[in-house]
Amino acid sequence: MSLYYDCLLIEECELVVLISEQGLRYLGVGMPEMTKVNPKREQVKLNQQKVAPYILQIRRYLIGELRQFELPLDISLVGTEFQQRVWQALRRIPYGCHLTYEEIAIMINRPKSIRAVGTAIGKNPVLLQIPCHRVIRKDGTLGGYSGGLNLKKRVLDLEEISYKDI
């Protein structure tokens, strides 16, 4: 089997979209470290046609036409069990809402694991669809974002989520 990719330029940020036959495997900045999203070492090929439906939904989301992705995910072989739990919690944050790192830790019944939650969020393989941008610090500031803070601000503004810009 193969993985297919194409790139999408959003302002100054180049997003890589990597899919399998089962669904979206990676959406992020730059080519990922392949061993993390391709543990079976499948061949990776540029294929604009196969990736086009994914790019179309991402574009529609980024211009406000789409609030919820309808893209299948293929991340079952990616990440640790803890990371998977965190990513599942992120998928439950509704459009236009935000939670803190601490609230995510509580959601997964690991209230003292706030830093580990932050680390797991930072390893999210599928930006936007697993909405790690909806997680901000307890003081209301942004925290980090693997897509860069400009992209995080843009997406939060799009979803009309308030945050402190310090």
Side-chain angles (χ1 to χ4, degrees):
M1 293 221 310
S2 296
L3 298 176
Y4 306 99
Y5 79 95
D6 195 5
C7 299
L8 169 67
L9 188 61
I10 303 297
E11 294 173 8
E12 72 284 345
C13 184
E14 183 179 63
L15 297 177
V16 175
V17 181
L18 180 71
I19 66 166
S20 70
E21 295 295 338
Q22 288 72 42
L24 186 60
R25 179 82 59 92
Y26 175 81
L27 171 59
V29 177
M31 283 303 267
E33 185 180 324
M34 280 298 159
T35 56
K36 293 182 180 178
V37 295
N38 188 8
K40 292 183 178 179
R41 301 187 190 277
E42 298 165 272
Q43 187 176 18
V44 179
K45 302 175 184 177
L46 175 66
N47 190 315
Q48 294 173 327
Q49 184 177 355
K50 282 190 179 280
V51 180
Y54 294 82
I55 288 183
L56 177 61
Q57 279 200 28
I58 294 162
R59 285 187 192 280
R60 288 184 59 220
Y61 170 81
L62 289 170
I63 62 171
E65 287 183 1
L66 185 72
R67 289 182 164 218
Q68 184 171 334
F69 289 97
E70 299 164 355
L71 304 169
L73 286 178
D74 181 24
I75 60 166
S76 62
L77 300 176
V78 177
T80 65
E81 181 181 332
F82 180 81
Q83 289 167 342
Q84 288 282 339
R85 287 176 59 201
V86 170
W87 301 337
Q88 287 302 317
L90 297 178
R91 294 187 72 197
R92 294 194 301 269
I93 305 172
Y95 184 97
C97 298
H98 76 274
L99 292 177
T100 65
Y101 295 94
E102 181 179 25
E103 290 168 321
I104 297 296
I106 291 167
M107 277 178 78
I108 64 166
N109 296 315
R110 298 284 299 270
K112 296 185 184 214
S113 299
I114 298 166
R115 286 182 186 253
V117 163
T119 300
I121 290 171
K123 294 182 186 286
N124 173 10
V126 185
L127 298 182
L128 305 176
Q129 189 166 353
I130 297 177
C132 55
H133 59 274
R134 296 179 187 153
V135 180
I136 62 175
R137 292 182 178 145
K138 194 173 187 175
D139 67 1
T141 58
L142 293 179
Y145 192 62
S146 61
L149 289 181
N150 287 339
L151 181 59
K152 184 170 184 171
K153 287 177 187 178
R154 177 182 176 182
V155 176
L156 291 175
D157 289 344
L158 172 73
E159 294 188 17
E160 298 181 2
I161 298 172
S162 62
Y163 58 89
K164 293 180 185 174
D165 195 9
I166 295 179

